[in-house]
Amino acid sequence: MTGERDDLARAQQRLIAALVTGAPPPDGFDPERLRIQANSLVAKRRSVVARLRPDAAAASGPDLAADFAAYAASRITPPPGYRADADDFAAWLTTHGKLAPPPKPPWWTRFLPHRHR
């Protein structure tokens, strides 16, 4: 029974890798259907990220779909949660010169009690 579970776990890992990272599809799966599903998952992430970080979506402009696809392809796995995905995409845009880095807070704010800034 353990061997079957291990085989199933490996097959699931290959399927997830095909959907998330563009890895080759596991045996028995239609590559075209997996490609369509993977594109759908990236589009869903992109739409949520655009709602959470409209500044990043605006900075990317008409290149949003291509930029987000390149960002998603550069990751081994998506971040844990949409907020982290949105912030990571904004950071990716910043490193690619499409989004200005956030301003540094004034020096004196380090003496304030910790609050969400």
Side-chain angles (χ1 to χ4, degrees):
M1 185 70 128
T2 302
E4 291 173 0
R5 286 185 182 184
D6 291 342
D7 290 346
L8 179 59
R10 281 190 293 278
Q12 288 173 332
Q13 288 172 341
R14 287 191 305 272
L15 177 59
I16 290 171
L19 289 170
V20 176
T21 68
D27 293 338
F29 284 89
D30 181 354
E32 181 62 13
R33 285 185 170 199
L34 281 181
R35 185 191 62 75
I36 291 168
Q37 186 60 42
N39 288 344
S40 176
L41 291 171
V42 168
K44 178 183 177 188
R45 283 175 57 199
R46 181 181 64 238
S47 69
V48 173
V49 164
R51 281 194 302 270
L52 291 173
R53 289 295 303 260
D55 61 325
S60 189
D63 296 330
L64 178 60
D67 285 345
F68 194 83
Y71 154 76
S74 73
R75 312 256 338 187
I76 294 172
T77 59
Y82 286 119
R83 175 61 62 189
D85 206 12
D87 292 342
D88 286 359
F89 178 58
W92 186 90
L93 286 173
T94 300
T95 62
H96 287 80
K98 292 194 169 199
L99 182 65
K104 289 187 176 187
W107 65 270
W108 49 265
T109 59
R110 69 177 181 240
F111 297 110
L112 297 175
H114 290 294
R115 288 186 249 173
H116 185 273
R117 295 179 214 159

